[in-house]
Each structure stands twice: as structure tokens, then as C-alpha cells.
Amino acid sequence: SYVLTQPPSVSVAPGKTARITCGGNNIGSKSVHWYQQKPGQAPVLVIYYDSDRPSGIPERFSGSNSGNTATLTISRVEAGDEADYYCQVWDSSSHHRVFGTGTKVTVL
Amino acid sequence: EVQLVESGGGLVQPGGSLRLSCAASGFTFSSYWMSWVRQAPGKGLEWVANIKQDGSEKYYVDSVKGRFTISRDNAKNSLYLQMNSLRAEDTAVYYCARDARYSSGGTHYWGQGTLVTVSS
């Protein structure tokens, strides 16, 4: 089955840039979606189809995808961005949706 | 406003069964793939199953195949998950999720989740 690997944690100071990676075999050939989840809440889609933002998501959130790594970038990080972040793809060979292992973002 | 409201969670003994329901509103239910996603306590998200708009295609994560059945009733705007032969490792919050019109799309809407606890 297809595996997506994320770093367990990322720490960033307010106002700086956080980059969260999602590694997978030839992930650049797939569409990657990113979710933010705060404690006790349902996930929220922040990036879809690699780099599109749903309405209501700040422009500070951006995404890219190439080769074996997709990246979620959060610019000018705010305290409210502290959350768990998950990448997700659809694996065409199994028709399964796969989530990454998740990354906890801590704002220092 | 899109709303997804899960129900049916609770405490069940190992080997038991439970049926989760999800009432959808605020969008054309029959136009979207739908999924169940779960999250064990303190763990990450795990996709469980999804179903095509007309119910003609259903897919399951390997760990629940043969035990869980996803279904939908477009006339009632409802999604279901029948869970049989439950195990302790099935303990999780189960989310109903509205996927895209295409199976490769992102999940734009989520319910608040219903807790399933499998324990004796």
C-alpha cells in the first residue's frame, strides 16, 4: 500500500515560515491535499490539488508538489496556526485514500 | 450551509456490531463521493471506506475489509457504516466526510465525529 511520511513535529517562531513535507514514491504524479486539525476539532481542508486554497483559507497557506516530496508552506506564522497537519492522496492502483503520518506544528 | 451529522456511536463489546449514520444537508448529496475516516485516541487520521455517488463503487482499508460495509441512501441524504466483528483497535472517533465529485479530490467538509469504543 502507498505510504506517506511526514516529520512528527515542526517548531517555528511567530512571523516566520513553516514548511511541512510529505514524502511518497513519485508523489509528484498524484494530487495532494492538506488538512489542519486542532485539538478536539474535525480536520479542515487548507490546500487541495497540490496548491489550491479553499475559500476562507488565508493566502499564507501554500502548497507545492514535485518528485517524491510535497510541501505545505505556512508564511508569517501565527499562534492560531498551531495544530496537527496531514497530507492526503488518492492511490489510483488501490483506489484507496491515504493520509500521511501527521505533523504537529508548534509556534514558539 | 453544508452539514454532516454523525450518530450511532457508543460502547460495544469485542465481537459486537454497530451501525453509524450520517445525515447530510446543504448540498446535493447524490453528486459527491462520501467517506468515513477515523482517528484512534491520540493517533492520526485513517481513511476507512468510501462510496461513489450512485453506490456502484465501494473501497475499504484492508484492516476493515470483510467486517465493515459502507452504504448510502440518496433519497434520504444519508451515509452509513455497518461495523461487525468489532475489535479493540477499532476504537476511534469516526468522521463522516464529503469528498469531491471525483475520487481523487480533497475532502472539503467533515462532520464533528462520533466516538466508538470497543471494550469489555
Side-chain angles (χ1 to χ4, degrees), chain A residues 33 35 37 41-43 45 48-49 86 90 94-97 99, chain B residues 39 44-45 47 59-60 95 99 103-108 110-111:
Chain A
H33 316 294
Y35 303 88
Q37 187 182 33
Q41 297 184 18
L45 181 68
Y48 64 105
Y49 287 129
Y86 298 89
W90 176 70
S94 63
H95 292 269
H96 288 186
R97 298 171 75 83
F99 284 97
Chain B
Q39 187 169 36
L45 300 174
W47 170 79
Y59 302 97
Y60 302 89
Y95 293 102
D99 296 331
S103 54
S104 61
T107 300
H108 287 252
W110 300 71

Side-chain angles (χ1 to χ4, degrees), chain A residues 7 17-23 27 32-34 47 50-51 61-66 68-74 87:
Chain A
T17 298
R19 293 180 178 84
I20 304 162
T21 58
C22 175
I27 195 174
V32 179
H33 316 294
W34 290 92
I47 291 289
D50 296 344
S51 58
F61 288 83
S62 62
S64 63
N65 184 20
S66 179
N68 292 317
T69 304
T71 303
L72 173 68
T73 301
I74 310 173
C87 57

Side-chain angles (χ1 to χ4, degrees), chain A:
Chain A
S1 60
Y2 194 76
V3 176
L4 294 173
T5 302
Q6 300 180 234
S9 62
V10 167
S11 297
V12 58
K16 299 299 184 182
T17 298
R19 293 180 178 84
I20 304 162
T21 58
C22 175
N25 184 35
N26 197 26
I27 195 174
S29 67
K30 302 181 184 298
S31 294
V32 179
H33 316 294
W34 290 92
Y35 303 88
Q36 175 194 70
Q37 187 182 33
K38 296 181 179 179
Q41 297 184 18
V44 172
L45 181 68
V46 293
I47 291 289
Y48 64 105
Y49 287 129
D50 296 344
S51 58
D52 289 341
R53 268 189 321 277
S55 59
I57 300 301
E59 291 183 7
R60 301 183 298 103
F61 288 83
S62 62
S64 63
N65 184 20
S66 179
N68 292 317
T69 304
T71 303
L72 173 68
T73 301
I74 310 173
S75 304
R76 302 180 299 283
V77 166
E78 303 174 356
D81 298 332
E82 191 163 278
D84 294 326
Y85 291 83
Y86 298 89
C87 57
Q88 182 201 40
V89 301
W90 176 70
D91 179 23
S92 58
S93 62
S94 63
H95 292 269
H96 288 186
R97 298 171 75 83
V98 180
F99 284 97
T101 49
T103 298
K104 181 177 180 59
V105 170
T106 300
V107 181
L108 301 171

Side-chain angles (χ1 to χ4, degrees), chain B residues 81-103:
Chain B
L81 186 67
Q82 177 66 43
M83 304 185 296
N84 298 331
S85 304
L86 282 161
R87 307 166 180 167
E89 54 265 36
D90 296 318
T91 294
V93 172
Y94 284 74
Y95 293 102
C96 169
R98 194 200 87 173
D99 296 331
R101 297 177 186 269
Y102 305 101
S103 54

Side-chain angles (χ1 to χ4, degrees), chain B residues 22-116:
Chain B
C22 171
S25 60
F27 65 100
T28 305
F29 182 73
S30 59
S31 295
Y32 294 88
W33 282 80
M34 296 294 296
S35 281
W36 288 99
V37 176
R38 67 184 179 183
Q39 187 169 36
K43 302 298 184 181
L45 300 174
E46 180 182 39
W47 170 79
V48 174
N50 67 349
I51 184 168
K52 194 176 180 179
Q53 288 90 331
D54 61 0
S56 61
E57 295 182 36
K58 306 175 184 181
Y59 302 97
Y60 302 89
V61 68
D62 289 348
S63 59
V64 308
K65 208 171 293 184
R67 299 189 298 123
F68 290 12
T69 301
I70 188 172
S71 62
R72 64 191 297 164
D73 185 335
N74 289 342
K76 295 184 178 179
N77 291 339
S78 293
L79 178 72
Y80 307 100
L81 186 67
Q82 177 66 43
M83 304 185 296
N84 298 331
S85 304
L86 282 161
R87 307 166 180 167
E89 54 265 36
D90 296 318
T91 294
V93 172
Y94 284 74
Y95 293 102
C96 169
R98 194 200 87 173
D99 296 331
R101 297 177 186 269
Y102 305 101
S103 54
S104 61
T107 300
H108 287 252
Y109 294 96
W110 300 71
Q112 283 306 303
T114 186
L115 177 62
V116 172

